[in-house]
Amino acid sequence: MMNLRSVRRPCAVALLLSITGASTAVAQGAAAATAAPGAVTRADLATRYLLMDAAYAAADSSARLTDSTRAALNRIFDRSTLSFFGGRFAVTAAMMDTAITMADPTYRYVRRELPRDVVIDGRPARALRDALSARLARLDSAGPLAQAIVSARARAALLVDTVSAERSAEFLAEPSTLARAVAAEVSALEKGHNPYARQVGDLWRSYRGANGTAVAMRVIAPRAAATRAVGVLLALHGAGGDENMFANGYGQGVAARVARENDLLFVSLATTPFMTSPVQFDSLMAVLGRDYRLDASRVYLLGHSMGAGAAARLAQERPRALTAVACLAGGAAVTAAGAPPVLYLGAQLDPIIPAARVKAAAAATPTGVYEERVNEGHTLMVRGAVLRALPWMLQQPRR
């Protein structure tokens, strides 16, 4: 989640708002330390999603899945999603275990504890956090560095003594490395410099949007962003996900990889704020425009499920600001004058947002194109859909 120099790279979850895993080994260490013996935690379910995502991608890439197995696996996994939203965690875990085993027969779930009593250079983590926060409080939070200060504060807040199983940003961080990185950022701000300007690499951040809303985001900048104007790929996750979903989840971060290969600034966002006001988009682009040179002719938008609905709304309300849009397993009609081309991808087996609904939205969109993922369901369709959608968007004429 944070700068690659300050945090282990995370892998986002599909079902949960604030849980992710960095790798199979890290994810298996992400279970809640305080859980009752045998109780299924949100972190347990997050771990299982990561393992499912990896196993499905590996089986799909090696062509080990038959059509019937693919369909059965997707149906089970989507039922586990519905069970999760019904609060039946134990049932959800059992169904996820069944689905993972279908993709990887060697699978066995292992729970480990989260770290406690975090100490950095002989001091409790909270002491460093409080010292950094105090330095930030003395800066001009209304001046030109206001948004950079918002990010630094959010990053400093991740330095905690007891790591939460509910916040992936905390349990994925390497505390001493993070502390050094944030200290350097605070020092730069004290000298009047923006530490995030032209920064290359992978950074977890936050910015202040419309009505003072704090919006979390992952920014993954290619090397080209340090020296020239680059295009932008914005990604909006589905319900229950977080700003890390497209960055490392959803097919093991395939969207971030394709963006990097095409010299695009990749920005994976917390979706909910974008469902309420298009001004969130305006604020975001202003923040990114201060930190990087942006190619306004290449601004792409990708969304899954709830995120697809938010993407369609932005295309309707800010049509001329977007080059192309892709709505995966969701979306609505886009009828605004000057609307960008919109690719709608439905999933044949989707019980949450049926393919027929996605197809109808495409049919009602003058610039819409519809395609369907066969033998796939609501969540596991995303990897293949991203691999189809991103090349399609990049082929569309620049604005």
Side-chain angles (χ1 to χ4, degrees):
M1 283 194 252
M2 277 130 264
N3 188 310
L4 286 174
R5 296 188 297 271
S6 61
V7 177
R8 300 184 189 115
R9 292 190 64 176
C11 189
V13 273
L15 301 177
L16 312 175
L17 181 62
S18 304
I19 309 290
T20 63
S23 64
T24 297
V26 173
Q28 289 178 332
T34 58
V40 175
T41 68
R42 293 173 67 88
D44 288 323
L45 298 182
T47 298
R48 285 174 166 89
Y49 169 72
L50 170 63
L51 298 173
M52 177 74 262
D53 191 53
Y56 188 75
D60 189 44
S61 298
S62 63
R64 286 191 282 111
L65 293 178
T66 64
D67 287 347
S68 61
T69 301
R70 181 190 302 274
L73 192 157
N74 273 267
R75 286 191 175 102
I76 293 170
F77 194 79
D78 281 347
R79 284 202 297 272
S80 76
T81 302
L82 293 169
S83 178
F84 166 78
F85 285 118
R88 300 184 299 275
F89 283 15
V91 174
T92 301
M95 287 191 287
M96 292 177 79
D97 286 341
T98 298
I100 299 168
T101 302
M102 291 174 69
D104 178 9
T106 68
Y107 162 74
R108 296 290 183 277
Y109 181 70
V110 178
R111 172 192 280 184
R112 297 178 186 169
E113 292 189 351
L114 288 171
R116 293 172 176 267
D117 302 321
V118 178
V119 175
I120 304 170
D121 296 331
R123 300 173 63 191
R126 72 176 183 279
L128 295 175
R129 176 197 65 209
D130 293 347
L132 291 167
S133 297
R135 290 167 63 186
L136 287 166
R138 292 193 286 270
L139 301 178
D140 179 8
S141 60
L145 295 176
Q147 292 286 8
I149 292 170
V150 168
S151 278
R153 283 176 176 162
R155 287 165 57 73
L158 299 178
L159 295 167
V160 295
D161 292 350
T162 301
V163 175
S164 169
E166 300 298 316
R167 293 196 67 202
S168 56
E170 289 184 14
F171 70 65
L172 292 170
E174 199 295 300
S176 60
T177 307
L178 173 62
R180 286 193 295 272
V182 177
E185 292 159 15
V186 172
S187 294
L189 287 165
E190 289 172 332
K191 296 173 183 176
H193 304 310
N194 179 359
Y196 311 115
R198 308 292 191 273
Q199 186 170 111
V200 171
D202 188 342
L203 193 73
W204 181 89
R205 291 182 58 182
S206 180
Y207 75 94
R208 191 68 64 187
N211 300 318
T213 304
V215 183
M217 62 180 175
R218 281 280 296 286
V219 179
I220 302 178
R223 291 183 182 277
T227 57
R228 62 178 175 83
V230 293
V232 184
L233 173 60
L234 308 176
L236 299 171
H237 63 78
D242 67 12
E243 68 277 6
N244 304 291
M245 269 313 287
F246 273 105
N248 291 97
Y250 283 150
Q252 304 295 281
V254 65
R257 175 177 62 79
V258 176
R260 184 171 59 250
E261 290 170 352
N262 287 277
D263 282 342
L264 295 174
L265 182 69
F266 180 77
V267 185
S268 183
L269 297 141
T271 296
T272 302
F274 290 85
M275 299 177 66
T276 59
S277 170
V279 178
Q280 297 291 4
F281 172 81
D282 303 335
S283 300
L284 168 67
M285 296 307 291
V287 170
L288 297 177
R290 280 194 291 270
D291 292 349
Y292 298 95
R293 291 174 55 204
L294 303 182
D295 180 351
S297 72
R298 294 197 304 152
V299 180
Y300 307 100
L301 178 60
L302 174 70
H304 172 243
S305 190
M306 177 181 75
R313 176 174 177 170
L314 281 175
Q316 180 72 16
E317 296 178 328
R318 295 292 186 270
R320 300 184 187 280
L322 300 168
T323 307
V325 177
C327 295
L328 316 184
V334 179
T335 58
V342 185
L343 176 63
Y344 294 83
L345 287 162
Q348 182 186 37
L349 307 178
D350 193 340
I352 298 171
I353 301 181
R357 196 163 122 196
V358 182
K359 186 175 183 178
T365 300
T367 60
V369 175
Y370 178 75
E371 295 181 11
E372 193 160 301
R373 302 290 302 173
V374 178
N375 293 319
E376 289 191 317
H378 187 72
T379 300
L380 297 181
M381 65 86 76
V382 179
R383 175 179 175 273
V386 167
L387 288 172
R388 168 61 184 140
L390 293 189
W392 182 89
M393 287 195 290
L394 293 172
Q395 290 170 2
Q396 303 309 306
R398 299 188 182 188
R399 303 291 276 190

